[in-house]
Amino acid sequence: MNGTVYKSTGSWYTVKSNEGNFYECRIKGKFRTQGIKSTNPVAVGDHVSFELETIGDETIGIISKIGNRKNYIVRKSVKLSKQTHIIASNLDQVFLLVTLNNPPTFTSFIDRFLVTAEAYEIPVVLLFNKMDVYQEEERFEVDYLMDLYKKIGYKCIKIEAKQGKNVDLVKEIMKGKTSMFAGHSGVGKSTLVNALEPGMQLKTAEISEQHMQGQHTTTFAEMYDLSFDARIIDTPGIKGFGIVDMDKHEIGDYFPEFFALKSECKFNNCLHLDEPKCAVKKALENNEIAASRYRSYVQMLTGEEDNPYRER
């Protein structure tokens, strides 16, 4: 039988068969998938082959094969720093929810997320949430950020998840696709999902006043079918989202505006740091590239990207 993994708890996997039935499954033996050093061999979104086995009065599925992934998204494993944890696979798009405060989402985090998504060929839509609670100055900042990312080529939408404003725009983009919502705990992921599909009632995070960065409400990734022909993958807070197994000469290629200028640099292996006649540095001096983007790039290059709460 063939199906798609809808939930993973580390040892058990809920698989929806191509016929539409759900089965609780385990893995047969050890898997080495595409040479990825991963703490979890099977991820939500994986297409798998499985056989049913009856033990006593219980029927379980045994996963024997994982299909090729068109993409996947990872975070660093907490316990084993050299390994990664695959959050989800076979995504059509990721919505990154951004809030200016309660909790703050800094450009260093946005940029690192975008770079990782570019590396794994996953389209990203930026959703600027909680527009209803911002003062005028903060609204100007959102406009500035949206302008910055739109120029690079990213789709940006202002939303008010609690009030339901522009939720229909999000719904339209989701139809017929598998999407993931990402962002720090407390940015309104669950609130948005509840606005999209009121019957779902996912747990919404209460903001922690102590840390101002929300509490984790989801432990494991899980996929849900929505009533308007869409699927979403609900994920744990991904504070540890990092650049994984990326050569320093590759990082600039995942900044679209840097990549567009790469051929104009004097050296074809230019790192856009201190090299002479660097087109990226020249564009930065001419304000054609955002200073925040360049700063994020340097942080990633020098390995200083581990603190997502650094500076906006």
Side-chain angles (χ1 to χ4, degrees):
M1 296 177 76
N2 297 309
T4 304
V5 177
Y6 268 59
K7 188 178 183 180
S8 155
T9 61
S11 52
W12 283 96
Y13 304 92
T14 304
V15 177
K16 183 183 182 182
S17 73
N18 291 354
E19 291 73 41
N21 300 312
F22 286 91
Y23 298 95
E24 291 301 309
C25 299
R26 281 189 176 279
I27 297 178
K28 185 178 185 179
K30 285 193 174 181
F31 280 103
R32 298 293 299 164
T33 52
Q34 300 173 348
I36 305 162
K37 279 189 179 176
S38 146
T39 55
N40 59 325
V42 179
V44 169
D46 275 344
H47 302 307
V48 297
S49 298
F50 64 102
E51 294 93 38
L52 293 180
E53 229 174 63
T54 304
I55 301 165
D57 56 357
E58 193 181 25
T59 299
I60 64 164
I62 306 294
I63 295 170
S64 55
K65 189 184 172 195
I66 302 169
N68 289 334
R69 295 171 174 140
K70 76 172 179 182
N71 58 38
Y72 55 91
I73 208 155
V74 303
R75 63 175 165 152
K76 289 177 182 175
S77 170
V78 180
K79 292 176 186 164
L80 304 154
S81 60
K82 292 205 174 152
Q83 289 200 309
T84 59
H85 180 85
I86 299 172
I87 299 170
S89 70
N90 299 317
L91 290 148
D92 293 309
Q93 60 199 0
V94 178
F95 291 91
L96 179 62
L97 275 80
V98 174
T99 48
L100 289 190
N101 48 47
N102 291 337
T105 308
F106 301 139
T107 50
S108 55
F109 176 81
I110 297 171
D111 295 336
R112 194 163 71 255
F113 189 97
L114 293 175
V115 162
T116 308
E118 287 280 347
Y120 295 119
E121 298 177 11
I122 303 167
V124 179
V125 179
L126 295 174
L127 300 179
F128 290 84
N129 192 22
K130 305 190 183 180
M131 292 303 300
D132 46 319
V133 301
Y134 297 146
Q135 304 300 317
E136 189 178 16
E137 195 178 315
E138 291 167 320
R139 285 200 282 270
F140 281 134
E141 184 165 356
V142 169
D143 287 339
Y144 166 77
L145 289 173
M146 283 182 67
D147 186 52
L148 189 165
Y149 289 107
K150 276 180 178 174
K151 276 180 183 165
I152 298 164
Y154 293 104
K155 193 172 186 68
C156 300
I157 304 171
K158 292 178 185 175
I159 63 165
E160 295 171 13
K162 268 193 176 170
Q163 274 64 37
K165 189 175 178 184
N166 284 347
V167 168
D168 284 350
L169 287 178
V170 178
K171 196 179 272 194
E172 206 52 45
I173 301 168
M174 291 176 69
K175 281 182 181 170
K177 294 178 177 175
T178 298
S179 306
M180 186 177 107
F181 290 89
H184 293 309
S185 294
V187 291
K189 295 189 295 286
S190 303
T191 308
L192 175 58
V193 172
N194 291 341
L196 287 160
E197 191 82 299
M200 283 193 65
Q201 293 304 308
L202 293 184
K203 292 176 193 163
T204 53
E206 291 296 319
I207 294 289
S208 156
E209 284 182 22
Q210 190 182 355
H211 298 298
M212 295 301 280
Q213 58 194 50
Q215 299 295 334
H216 295 293
T217 55
T218 318
T219 314
F220 298 104
E222 185 167 1
M223 182 146 68
Y224 298 90
D225 289 323
L226 304 183
S227 61
F228 53 94
D229 180 33
R231 291 163 303 283
I232 65 150
I233 295 178
D234 188 36
T235 63
I238 50 170
K239 203 165 55 173
F241 198 96
I243 305 297
V244 181
D245 294 335
M246 213 176 277
D247 184 88
K248 64 181 181 179
H249 285 95
E250 275 182 85
I251 297 172
D253 293 352
Y254 300 125
F255 283 74
E257 71 275 41
F258 291 19
F259 185 68
L261 295 168
K262 189 180 180 181
S263 62
E264 295 173 34
C265 290
K266 183 180 179 183
F267 300 106
N268 61 5
N269 64 343
C270 185
L271 281 175
H272 320 306
L273 294 174
D274 307 312
E275 298 90 340
K277 294 185 181 172
C278 168
V280 170
K281 289 293 290 278
K282 188 180 174 185
L284 179 68
E285 286 163 20
N286 295 338
N287 292 321
E288 290 159 13
I289 279 176
S292 62
R293 291 279 287 171
Y294 185 75
R295 186 167 63 233
S296 294
Y297 168 72
V298 173
Q299 281 177 8
M300 288 176 213
L301 208 61
T302 55
E304 290 177 16
E305 87 282 12
D306 292 330
N307 180 6
Y309 298 99
R310 190 175 292 277
E311 61 179 312
R312 189 171 286 143

